[in-house]
């Protein structure tokens, strides 16, 4: 929660906030995550506008993942930007005669008194910034499809013979020596 009392409701006023926060629940996808309890840094710019408070920010943290090719664990820096409008709580007169859709209200964020709850916005920004297929390096060769050995460790000579299905061996012999058949 971020307190906006110092910002006031005067359009045009601006305030910056820098905070270190702990991730309450893991922000994760199938292959990568920012684990629960990890510290992240928030750089925020709060701007008062007519409708509410415009929050522009950057979240920085450390993600953990497994390489999608070789399954080695990896950890790297993550930075995600976001911008969201937090609307002032609607007055009763405005809510009765409002011309917006009910669906629009579900997608909007509202100030809770003078406080903003940034967790859902930060969660969305971080999860969208997580890599779908993290790699330990762009040239990671991955694992051998036959034995599961890490190809970076075993080298380019690694192989398992010609890989021909033994049931097709007779056809291969015919193709190699057609005059004998």
């Amino acid at each position: 929660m971020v307190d906006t009392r110092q910002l006031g409701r005067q359009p045009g006023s601006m305030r910056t906030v820098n905070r270190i926060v702990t991730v309450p629940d893991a922000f994760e996808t199938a292959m990568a995550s920012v684990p629960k309890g990890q510290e992240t840094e928030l750089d925020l710019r709060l701007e008062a506008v007519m409708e509410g408070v415009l929050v522009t920010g950057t979240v920085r943290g450390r993600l953990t993942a497994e390489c999608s090719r070789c399954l080695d664990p990896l950890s790297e820096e993550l930075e995600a930007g976001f911008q969201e409008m937090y609307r002032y709580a609607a007055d009763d007169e405005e809510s009765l005669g409002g011309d917006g859709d009910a669906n629009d209200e579900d997608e909007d964020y509202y100030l809770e008194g003078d406080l903003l709850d940034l967790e859902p916005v930060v969660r969305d920004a971080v999860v969208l910034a997580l890599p779908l297929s993290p790699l330990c390096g762009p040239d990671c060769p991955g694992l051998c499809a036959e034995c599961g050995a890490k190809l970076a460790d075993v080298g380019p000579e690694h192989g398992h013979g010609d890989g021909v299905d033994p049931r097709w061996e007779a056809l291969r012999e015919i193709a190699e020596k057609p005059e004998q058949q």
Side-chain angles (χ1 to χ4, degrees):
M1 294 287 212
V2 176
D3 191 354
T4 63
R5 279 183 287 200
Q6 291 179 349
L7 184 64
R9 290 196 175 200
Q10 182 65 32
S13 60
M14 191 270 301
R15 180 177 153 223
T16 58
V17 176
N18 184 298
R19 280 201 179 153
I20 303 292
V21 296
T22 303
V23 175
D25 292 315
F27 300 158
E28 58 190 350
T29 61
M31 299 287 292
S33 72
V34 176
K36 178 180 180 177
Q38 177 83 33
E39 286 190 346
T40 57
E41 179 183 1
L42 293 175
D43 284 325
L44 306 172
R45 178 181 169 149
L46 309 173
E47 298 175 72
V49 294
M50 292 296 290
E51 300 84 17
V53 177
L54 179 66
V55 180
T56 305
T58 304
V59 59
R60 289 179 200 85
R62 192 147 200 74
L63 72 88
T64 58
E66 285 184 342
C67 176
S68 61
R69 293 182 188 161
C70 68
L71 304 178
D72 276 353
L74 60 104
S75 178
E76 59 187 45
E77 291 297 317
L78 172 77
E79 183 172 316
F82 59 91
Q83 185 172 44
E84 194 63 55
M85 170 66 91
Y86 282 81
R87 299 190 180 280
Y88 295 127
D91 294 335
D92 291 339
E93 297 169 9
E94 290 179 23
S95 62
L96 292 174
D99 55 349
D101 293 338
N103 291 339
D104 287 344
E105 292 178 11
D106 293 340
E107 296 173 8
D108 290 343
Y109 293 99
Y110 289 93
L111 283 153
E112 298 171 14
D114 288 325
L115 301 176
L116 321 159
D117 183 10
L118 287 175
E119 184 180 349
V121 174
V122 170
R123 174 182 299 280
D124 290 348
V126 168
V127 169
L128 288 172
L130 290 173
L132 294 176
S133 297
L135 297 175
C136 59
D139 57 346
C140 176
L143 301 175
C144 174
E146 295 278 327
C147 66
K150 186 174 175 184
L151 293 175
D153 294 341
V154 295
E157 318 68 54
H158 179 74
H160 297 279
D162 56 11
V164 175
D165 189 333
R167 296 173 289 181
W168 295 98
E169 188 64 35
L171 287 177
R172 187 173 74 150
E173 289 174 10
I174 293 171
E176 288 175 356
K177 302 174 189 171
E179 65 278 347
Q180 292 181 356
Q181 301 301 327

